[in-house]
Amino acid sequence: MFTEELKAFRRLGFRHVLLQVLNFASVIASGLMIWKGLGIVTNSESPIVVVLSGSMEPAFYRGDLLFLTNPSSEQYKTGDITVYKIPGAEIPIVHRVMETHDVPKSIDIRKYTKSKSKSKPQPGEDSKQDNQLLLTKGDNNYVDDIELYQGLEWLEKKHIVGKVRGFLPYVGYVTIAMNDCPQLKYALLGGLGLLALIQRE
């Protein structure tokens, strides 16, 4: 399959191969810097995510690419579509906020139980209440996400990866294909690396 490429690789000198390796490493480093830069600008550890399930249909479908931001001053409200990640879980989840409760900074949020959360904040107090408790649910699910919270009664703002600001339909199917078939990912990366090494220009 790569016979001609391997022959060309043997004809190249060590200095040329080393230069191509450095160029390839530079491209990877540039991509990582762009990703980290986006994370800083959006205040999100994952500013771009791919929808992996159909739990948010018809709003989003499997393979859609979502763009997130997570400003530190963001106060979420019912109807917002957020991406959250529970400690210990490998994959973030994109679901809609169904219920919010503002918690005064003077109250320990860990002691704020579901029964206490029924009391609503008084008008004019929202600006003083930085902490929030959130309950989410997938648009295509019959029940809320409490079973997904791994023992937590509510999501806190620290669990939120970001709020969805835009999307591109089906663009993320390449990522899904590589996750479902790791051999495809390794073959693609290996092919790109080999082409970068034997490229003469």
Side-chain angles (χ1 to χ4, degrees), residues 11-201:
R11 290 194 298 267
L12 297 175
F14 174 77
R15 183 175 297 179
H16 179 81
V17 172
L18 181 59
L19 178 61
Q20 294 301 86
V21 169
L22 292 176
N23 287 337
F24 187 60
S26 176
V27 171
I28 294 177
S30 297
L32 290 174
M33 286 190 292
I34 292 173
W35 178 257
K36 290 298 183 181
L38 283 175
I40 293 173
V41 171
T42 61
N43 194 40
S44 174
E45 63 181 64
S46 298
I48 301 175
V49 297
V50 176
V51 178
L52 299 178
S53 72
S55 63
M56 277 300 293
E57 295 180 3
F60 301 122
Y61 290 87
R62 194 167 186 259
D64 288 353
L65 198 69
L66 308 181
F67 301 96
L68 315 177
T69 62
N70 189 28
S72 57
S73 59
E74 183 79 47
Q75 287 293 108
Y76 299 99
K77 57 183 181 295
T78 301
D80 287 344
I81 300 177
T82 60
V83 175
Y84 68 88
K85 188 175 181 181
I86 300 297
E90 296 183 0
I91 301 175
I93 299 173
V94 51
H95 278 174
R96 192 182 301 275
V97 175
M98 302 302 295
E99 190 176 336
T100 68
H101 294 285
D102 297 313
V103 182
K105 294 176 66 176
S106 58
I107 296 179
D108 187 347
I109 199 168
R110 293 172 297 181
K111 299 179 180 179
Y112 201 77
T113 62
K114 203 166 189 176
S115 60
K116 291 180 182 179
S117 66
K118 295 180 181 179
S119 59
K120 300 293 183 180
Q122 297 299 318
E125 290 184 354
D126 287 356
S127 60
K128 300 179 182 180
Q129 296 172 334
D130 297 341
N131 299 322
Q132 275 191 310
L133 297 178
L134 309 173
L135 179 66
T136 57
K137 174 183 172 296
D139 288 359
N140 201 30
N141 291 347
Y142 292 106
V143 296
D144 57 40
D145 292 349
I146 289 182
E147 293 296 327
L148 302 177
Y149 294 167
Q150 299 185 10
L152 300 176
E153 290 186 345
W154 301 90
L155 290 180
E156 300 177 29
K157 292 182 67 175
K158 65 182 180 181
H159 299 132
I160 303 298
V161 177
K163 177 180 175 180
V164 177
R165 303 293 184 177
F167 76 101
L168 289 175
Y170 305 117
V171 176
Y173 257 114
V174 175
T175 302
I176 294 177
M178 289 192 295
N179 286 335
D180 291 345
C181 184
Q183 295 84 353
L184 176 63
K185 177 171 61 176
Y186 298 138
L188 180 62
L189 292 176
L192 290 175
L194 183 59
L195 290 175
L197 289 176
I198 65 176
Q199 186 69 32
R200 291 183 177 275
E201 296 181 359

